[in-house]
Amino acid sequence: MLHPSESRVPFFAALCLFLSAIEYAIPKPLPFMRLGLANLPVLISFATMSKRDTVLLITLKVFGQALISGTLFSYIFVFSAAGSFASGFAMLACYTLFHKTNHISHIGVSLAGALANNAAQIAVARLMIFGENTRYIAPILFAVGLVTALILGIFANVFCAKSTWYHNLLINNFEGKAFLSLQPGSLRGQENDVSLPAQLIVAMVLLPLFLLHQHIISFVLHSVSDVVRVCIAWTLVAIFFIMAAVKKRGKIKLLPSLFITLGITFFALFVPSGKILFSIGAFKITLDALLTGLRKSAILVGMVFLSQFAIDGHVRLPGKAGAFLCEMFAVFDALTSERLHFKKGRIIEMLDERLTALQN
């Protein structure tokens, strides 16, 4: 069982997951535009937690989202981790430096986090996917990130000003009091009941083999054309897709993977190399650039399918990490046990009522 002073961390982490689910349901003008509601618990944790607990919260948020979405073994996890840790540390640094002088609000902290998040994700995109072509994407990401960070900062200011639940946190500061009416692990089984599914072990073996399969092919077959290499890569992707589809009983979304493939391949064509296949005006489609895009997209899409095969929200780990995850999922189940119907103009009030009811 977690100490009462520690139970706030999995609670806030579960709140991150809960707000992610709420944000998913909010209509957005652009599919990739995110308000960043999941960062609200991180913002308000600065005044109610120690720095160590805030870092632990960010870690739980990253791993919790990966477990819920089944992306732990994919490139999405790398992007999420890079962005979350960069923004988390940037916001924590800003809050630590300026909050005592009242020279910064949640808006300023949120903007600092957005800049760090976008910078980290752009760096990862340059290293893993787009290379030099990242410069075409960076301005859009920074513009959208700044707008959504501004919205989140304003929302955080209003929430902290109106929320009864938040004011109770500041008054009580969780010290020596039971934070939740839940028993740790009550909704997910006992925290000592460690369960590592067989598919997770299989995926842990397959992932390095998949990432190194090009080198393995070269070692075994010596001379293989680039076209054959790409065909082998996509054959492995198809196998991982079938594995994930069987495990999830057909509930696999293909559209995101299609967009990934088209996007990566398209931007790869901006650096022409090899034989010219055909031209569209001054834009030349070359064989090597096309194969490079298809090979990179195969690796990333394959990682997504393999991750979806391996991971679900019921994985439990041993030790204190397992206890924190178990508690986080217990709170998340409690938060989502009843559907929350938001009414126009009462989003903050209804969210506050749900949090207050759970704490009491």
Side-chain angles (χ1 to χ4, degrees):
M1 181 177 294
L2 300 177
H3 189 275
S5 65
E6 295 177 330
S7 63
R8 71 189 107 161
V9 179
F11 182 92
F12 272 52
L15 183 56
C16 290
L17 303 185
F18 178 63
L19 291 174
S20 292
I22 291 177
E23 181 176 344
Y24 181 78
I26 297 176
K28 296 175 281 292
L30 296 172
F32 58 84
M33 185 175 181
R34 300 181 62 185
L35 298 179
L37 285 180
N39 282 328
L40 176 63
V42 178
L43 276 175
I44 65 178
S45 74
F46 300 141
T48 57
M49 292 186 191
S50 67
K51 295 180 179 63
R52 182 186 69 86
D53 285 346
T54 295
V55 173
L56 181 57
L57 166 63
I58 296 168
T59 304
L60 276 179
K61 171 178 174 285
V62 171
F63 279 93
Q65 289 176 325
L67 290 172
I68 290 291
S69 61
T71 57
L72 184 61
F73 288 164
S74 74
Y75 75 98
I76 297 175
F77 175 74
V78 179
F79 274 81
S80 176
S84 293
F85 283 113
S87 63
F89 286 122
M91 291 190 294
L92 182 58
C94 284
Y95 180 83
T96 302
L97 290 173
F98 299 112
H99 82 282
K100 291 183 179 179
T101 59
N102 294 320
H103 287 163
I104 195 166
S105 69
H106 286 113
I107 296 175
V109 175
S110 179
L111 288 172
L115 287 172
N117 176 79
N118 289 335
Q121 293 195 339
I122 287 170
V124 173
R126 180 179 176 85
L127 290 173
M128 291 185 61
I129 306 176
F130 296 112
E132 298 177 3
N133 296 320
T134 306
R135 64 179 181 271
Y136 299 113
I137 307 170
I140 299 174
L141 290 180
F142 273 114
V144 173
L146 290 175
V147 171
T148 56
L150 179 62
I151 295 172
L152 175 63
I154 294 172
F155 183 87
N157 279 349
V158 176
F159 178 83
C160 291
K162 291 185 175 182
S163 171
T164 302
W165 173 79
Y166 178 72
H167 285 289
N168 288 337
L169 300 187
L170 294 179
I171 294 171
N172 298 325
N173 202 26
F174 308 112
E175 292 182 359
K177 296 185 178 181
F179 180 55
L180 300 174
S181 58
L182 298 172
Q183 291 296 319
S186 59
L187 299 178
R188 287 276 175 173
Q190 298 300 315
E191 58 195 49
N192 293 326
D193 180 17
V194 179
S195 174
L196 292 178
Q199 67 264 21
L200 176 58
I201 299 173
V202 171
M204 292 173 67
V205 174
L206 290 178
L207 179 61
L209 295 177
F210 178 59
L211 294 177
L212 297 173
H213 76 274
Q214 296 287 336
H215 299 287
I216 296 173
I217 291 171
S218 298
F219 178 77
V220 174
L221 300 179
H222 301 293
S223 179
V224 182
S225 69
D226 289 338
V227 174
V228 173
R229 290 174 183 273
V230 170
C231 290
I232 292 174
W234 278 100
T235 300
L236 293 173
V237 172
I239 293 172
F240 295 157
F241 168 74
I242 294 172
M243 291 165 59
V246 170
K247 185 224 171 180
K248 292 184 174 292
R249 299 179 181 179
K251 297 179 180 179
I252 296 291
K253 295 181 180 179
L254 281 175
L255 199 57
S257 297
L258 177 61
F259 284 143
I260 290 169
T261 303
L262 293 176
I264 293 173
T265 304
F266 174 74
F267 282 104
L269 296 175
F270 279 83
V271 184
S273 61
K275 179 182 177 181
I276 298 177
L277 299 177
F278 58 91
S279 300
I280 302 176
F283 189 66
K284 296 179 174 58
I285 309 297
T286 59
L287 179 61
D288 289 352
L290 177 62
L291 293 176
T292 297
L294 290 173
R295 185 171 60 251
K296 286 185 177 181
S297 59
I299 294 294
L300 299 180
V301 172
M303 290 171 67
V304 171
F305 290 146
L306 185 59
S307 184
Q308 290 176 341
F309 164 76
I311 300 298
D312 59 38
H314 297 277
V315 175
R316 293 189 293 277
L317 301 176
K320 198 167 187 177
F324 273 111
L325 286 173
C326 185
E327 178 73 358
M328 178 182 67
F329 285 128
V331 177
F332 179 69
D333 281 348
L335 284 169
T336 57
S337 60
E338 297 180 12
R339 188 172 181 180
L340 194 60
H341 298 278
F342 286 108
K343 295 180 181 179
K344 186 177 180 180
R346 294 199 69 240
I347 293 178
I348 291 178
E349 289 82 356
M350 297 184 73
L351 177 59
D352 188 49
E353 290 171 4
R354 173 64 63 86
L355 295 173
T356 302
L358 183 60
Q359 185 176 353
N360 296 333

